[in-house]
Amino acid sequence: MNIDLTDTTTRRIQSSLRQARHLMGGPAVGMVLTLVIVTDESAQYDAVRAANEAARENPCRVLTVISRESRGRSSRLDAEIRMGETGPGETVLLRMYGPLAEHADSVVVPLLVPDTPVVTWWPGGRPPSRPGSDPLGALAQRRITDAYAAQDRLGTLARLAEGYQPGDTDFTWTRLTPWRTLLASALDLEHAEITGGLVQGEPDSPSAELLAAWLSIRLGVPIRREISEGPGLTAVRLHTLDGDIAITRPDGRVATLSRPGQPDRQVSLQRRPMSELLAEELRRLDPDEVYHEAATRYLKDLGMGGAS
């Protein structure tokens, strides 16, 4: 069911949501959170599609905030309600014109699902430097950005790390979950003393920088950062007294795990779509302290001190 509302109000949107739920027989109490997407018209399609796929695992109300150019000096709110076609939850696209776009939180607050957590996500390349201080970010228990989508990826990562507040996270860190899992399982087996290591990846890969920082913290040894042609992360090598423990992934799909004195093993290590990254973040709403540690170490290595 699709409902289009032009030059509307939050009261009319709430009324339309109730009417749509009544007609479809679906109560709102089944939703576990509200996901607020802050984006523009060009990126909203992919972001909403990813959110609807993630909502199959985490039923939620998706509020997509789209700021449009001002038409004169008057404010206007258009809304598009989608229910029952894209997933188990509710999707509302909020297009705001004029000065109203500067006060998007006043529109979003009345539409939050009562007594449930809020997650705010900036899928584009221009997240606020301090998501926790942004009006829409301040509503949320979890705030998701993606430094990889920015034009200045490493500069964006540094700004987000410097402005970190509990609840912040970034898809550049989420992308590392399979790598961290594979590395942890490899190091669970008996191995010689680790003396150093290196991480290879694209020149401006924020994930490679965070992985090098995390390994340096966890292993207590220097981890060098080397450049490769990609895609994304291509290799991690840990130097031991018996030889290298290595994970190499030159094609972005299949990795080779190598250990001294052991046969090589092929492991699936595909680059994950946005919907999988979002679903992983929606599973946990507590502060990601390990991400904070890695981001702080990255800042320290840049000579910028620690995150606030």
Side-chain angles (χ1 to χ4, degrees):
M1 175 182 293
N2 279 22
I3 302 173
D4 291 321
L5 301 172
T6 302
D7 196 8
T8 189
T9 64
T10 56
R11 186 184 296 269
R12 289 180 59 198
I13 296 172
Q14 289 173 316
S15 176
S16 297
L17 284 168
R18 286 193 298 269
Q19 181 182 7
R21 283 197 302 271
H22 176 73
L23 292 174
M24 299 189 66
V29 293
M31 286 177 281
V32 299
L33 58 88
T34 303
L35 173 62
V36 180
I37 304 175
V38 187
T39 185
D40 56 27
E41 201 67 65
S42 63
Q44 63 89 6
Y45 177 81
D46 288 338
V48 171
R49 183 175 62 178
N52 287 328
E53 291 178 8
R56 299 181 188 279
E57 181 180 333
N58 305 275
C60 59
R61 175 176 292 173
V62 179
L63 303 177
T64 306
V65 177
I66 306 170
S67 298
R68 301 291 297 268
E69 293 183 4
S70 172
R71 296 182 180 179
R73 295 186 177 181
S74 61
S75 295
R76 196 180 95 205
L77 172 64
D78 293 346
E80 180 183 349
I81 299 173
R82 302 172 183 173
M83 192 179 299
E85 298 180 1
T86 55
E90 303 169 345
T91 300
V92 184
L93 276 67
L94 302 167
R95 292 181 171 89
M96 303 181 192
Y97 300 84
L100 181 64
E102 301 296 324
H103 305 280
D105 55 313
S106 65
V107 176
V108 167
V109 169
L111 300 176
L112 301 177
V113 178
D115 302 320
T116 61
V118 178
V119 177
T120 302
W121 173 32
W122 292 267
R126 296 182 178 178
S129 296
R130 292 181 175 269
S133 300
D134 182 87
L136 291 173
L139 300 174
Q141 287 75 36
R142 191 77 161 176
R143 296 170 292 274
I144 306 170
T145 54
D146 188 2
Y148 192 82
Q151 185 173 2
D152 179 12
R153 295 172 178 172
L154 299 184
T156 300
L157 175 62
R159 288 190 293 275
L160 290 170
E162 193 170 21
Y164 173 87
Q165 295 183 36
D168 292 356
T169 193
D170 195 276
F171 275 167
T172 59
W173 177 249
T174 318
R175 292 184 179 96
L176 293 175
T177 299
W179 285 86
R180 294 169 58 213
T181 301
L182 186 55
L183 284 164
S185 64
L187 295 177
D188 276 345
L189 302 175
E190 185 176 352
H191 58 80
E193 179 184 352
I194 297 174
T195 59
L198 63 88
V199 173
Q200 292 179 329
E202 294 172 333
D204 58 349
S205 169
S207 293
E209 301 292 345
L210 288 177
L211 183 57
W214 176 72
L215 286 171
S216 180
I217 294 170
R218 288 292 177 262
L219 301 177
V221 297
I223 304 293
R224 291 183 292 116
R225 179 66 174 91
E226 291 193 352
I227 304 303
S228 70
E229 295 182 358
L233 278 166
T234 54
V236 176
R237 298 182 182 276
L238 302 178
H239 310 314
T240 78
L241 298 177
D242 292 339
D244 285 357
I245 299 172
I247 300 173
T248 55
R249 187 193 66 174
D251 61 359
R253 295 192 300 273
V254 179
T256 301
L257 173 61
S258 304
R259 292 176 51 86
Q262 300 290 329
D264 291 351
R265 182 160 62 97
Q266 302 296 308
V267 183
S268 176
L269 200 60
Q270 296 191 25
R271 305 186 77 188
R272 297 188 294 166
M274 190 184 300
S275 58
E276 289 188 16
L277 301 176
L278 181 59
E280 178 180 330
E281 288 300 335
L282 295 183
R283 291 185 201 118
R284 56 171 298 177
L285 301 179
D286 56 311
D288 194 338
E289 296 177 356
V290 182
Y291 162 68
H292 183 205
E293 290 176 359
T296 300
R297 180 57 179 263
Y298 172 66
L299 280 183
K300 181 180 179 181
D301 291 342
L302 287 179
M304 296 177 64
S308 60

